[in-house]
Amino acid sequence: MSKILVTGGTGYIGSHTVVELLNAGYTPVIIDNLSNSNIGILNQIEKITGVRPEFHQIDLNDTQKVNTFVEENTDITGIIHFAAYKAVGESVQQPLKYYSNNFFSLLNVLNAYAEKPINLVFSSSCTVYGQPDVLPVTEAAPVKKAESPYGNTKQIAEEILAETAKAASNYNFIALRYFNPVGAHETALIGELPIGVPQNLVPFITQTAIGKRDHLTVFGADYDTPDGSCIRDYIHVVDLAKAHVAAIKLLEKGNPNGNYDVFNIGTGNGYSVLEAIKAFENASGKPLNYQVGPRRDGDIIQVWGDVTKSEKELGWKAALGIDEMMASSWAWEQYLKENPLS
Ligand code: WQD
């Protein structure tokens, strides 16, 4: 079955996608520089699937190494490109680190496939919408000025793909605009592995509940929303992983929309921070120690996706709800306490 290159494949979403590729009969090949992930994830994937995926520790910024890999692996028919830095706050502090890494890694992969037929699924983000004027937000909504260098790298990367596809028919691209990935595999053997203090809500919730953090701070409860806290479209990472398999299949079949396309990958439902905390407490049976604090710079107030296009044209729809997202996140945090990976 088709060999699929997964860049950033030992990361959070990458590792879950490797599992779903194996479940779908594909042969994933991982490239990762391990700058934000742990090689122990390969053992975990093997425990889940019985297969230890082929792994190459390569930094995609190394043009020569990328070209050599592509020359030596001519049987790769598709690529899922996750490899990028993704912390919004860090990107504001270190913009050059984000622009250099996120663009050079993508450009090296694209240039290595110049004039070679290749299908590529790109990890994009709903952050390109900024604060949408209309909710739920559709793929036709205008892309707004990014609030962070991280968001800007996603917007510009989409433009690079769109313009490259227009100029060269050997490239076939799909960009998946993720909403908020959360949760962990049902086996609790893989999940989100934040290095240092978690930037995102759900890992901070589970680390507070397990006792690694004293309390969670809710960044503002005075917004113009029903309960005052921000609203997001949380999507289970396994549903998100399956969307990548669906995108590879669509590219293999031939996308009637052409060789560049974009899909929203969310559930279509919005949950506030306080609702997410309540869902965690219900799923874990543990009251959460949280306080309401000041707003976080750069936060948009509310966003959730219109996922009609993904259902109709990608043939994918999220199946897991907020309860499973929270229950699986908690099970993973408990697993990590007994089996530290990093
Ligand atoms: C969610 C909500 C916070 C932490 C970003 C990127 C997106 C994706 C996910 C990479 C917000 C609130 C959070 C906390 C809180 N990036 N919060 N206390 O900012 O929506 O999305 O991360 O994969 O592309 O834009 O996610 O989880 O940081 O925040 O109250 O300790 O939780 O204010 O309302 P965000 P998040």
Side-chain angles (χ1 to χ4, degrees):
M1 190 75 167
S2 310
K3 215 172 216 186
I4 306 294
L5 171 60
V6 184
T7 72
T10 53
Y12 174 39
I13 303 164
S15 56
H16 286 82
T17 301
V18 165
V19 167
E20 296 309 325
L21 283 168
L22 287 165
N23 290 345
Y26 287 96
T27 303
V29 175
I30 297 173
I31 282 183
D32 204 301
N33 66 0
L34 300 176
S35 66
N36 191 27
S37 60
N38 184 299
I39 196 160
I41 287 293
L42 296 178
N43 302 327
Q44 304 299 99
I45 292 172
E46 187 173 10
K47 285 178 197 164
I48 295 171
T49 65
V51 174
R52 185 181 183 79
E54 185 181 332
F55 172 76
H56 300 263
Q57 185 170 353
I58 294 173
D59 186 332
L60 295 178
N61 291 284
D62 184 327
T63 308
Q64 190 46 54
K65 286 211 173 116
V66 172
N67 291 340
T68 303
F69 176 86
V70 171
E71 284 151 21
E72 293 175 353
N73 292 272
T74 53
D75 52 352
I76 282 174
T77 59
I79 300 170
I80 303 178
H81 184 64
F82 291 106
Y85 293 144
K86 60 155 201 167
V88 172
E90 185 187 49
S91 77
V92 175
Q93 308 306 323
Q94 303 182 63
L96 277 182
K97 172 181 174 182
Y98 273 66
Y99 286 117
S100 306
N101 180 64
N102 291 9
F103 289 151
F104 288 138
S105 54
L106 174 63
L107 292 170
N108 277 339
V109 170
L110 296 179
N111 285 326
Y113 278 93
E115 288 155 36
K116 295 183 180 74
I118 192 69
N119 297 329
L120 183 139
V121 179
F122 177 69
S123 165
S124 190
S125 168
C126 66
T127 204
V128 303
Y129 298 119
Q131 176 57 66
D133 301 323
V134 177
L135 289 171
V137 62
T138 72
E139 292 86 349
V143 167
K144 287 192 175 175
K145 171 96 183 72
E147 307 262 345
S148 69
Y150 159 78
N152 208 20
T153 66
K154 292 300 182 186
Q155 284 181 4
I156 298 171
E158 285 192 4
E159 289 168 24
I160 291 170
L161 296 178
E163 288 160 20
T164 302
K166 214 180 285 175
S169 61
N170 64 295
Y171 294 106
N172 288 295
F173 298 133
I174 282 178
L176 299 181
R177 289 175 177 169
Y178 307 166
F179 284 74
N180 285 57
V182 298
H185 193 262
E186 60 186 8
T187 59
L189 290 171
I190 53 176
E192 193 166 3
L193 254 181
I195 294 174
V197 178
Q199 299 300 307
N200 294 130
L201 176 68
V202 174
F204 209 109
I205 287 177
T206 57
Q207 288 193 10
T208 300
I210 203 100
K212 280 179 80 171
R213 309 284 163 205
D214 173 65
H215 67 278
L216 169 83
T217 301
V218 173
F219 296 143
D222 59 351
Y223 287 99
D224 183 16
T225 61
D227 67 14
S229 64
C230 293
I231 296 171
R232 295 290 186 272
D233 182 337
Y234 296 100
I235 169 129
H236 197 294
V237 66
V238 172
D239 278 329
L240 177 56
K242 290 177 178 174
H244 291 80
V245 178
I248 285 287
K249 287 184 189 294
L250 179 57
L251 289 169
E252 286 176 340
K253 192 176 73 176
N255 184 355
N257 293 344
N259 67 337
Y260 178 69
D261 205 356
V262 177
F263 292 96
N264 282 344
I265 304 300
T267 63
N269 304 312
Y271 284 92
S272 74
V273 175
L274 293 173
E275 286 172 331
I277 291 170
K278 185 55 70 195
F280 174 80
E281 292 178 326
N282 293 341
S284 64
K286 282 177 75 75
L288 190 74
N289 182 18
Y290 70 92
Q291 300 163 7
V292 175
R295 296 180 174 189
R296 178 173 70 174
D297 288 348
D299 270 341
I300 60 158
I301 300 175
Q302 51 190 342
V303 63
W304 60 94
D306 177 318
V307 291
T308 315
K309 184 183 174 192
S310 289
E311 191 174 345
K312 288 207 173 85
E313 298 174 30
L314 183 59
W316 168 90
K317 183 174 168 55
L320 300 167
I322 192 82
D323 295 335
E324 174 53 27
M325 292 177 210
M326 295 303 177
S328 59
S329 300
W330 179 230
W332 164 244
E333 190 68 61
Q334 291 173 295
Y335 172 85
L336 276 179
K337 184 172 183 181
E338 305 306 322
N339 310 272
L341 267 181
S342 53

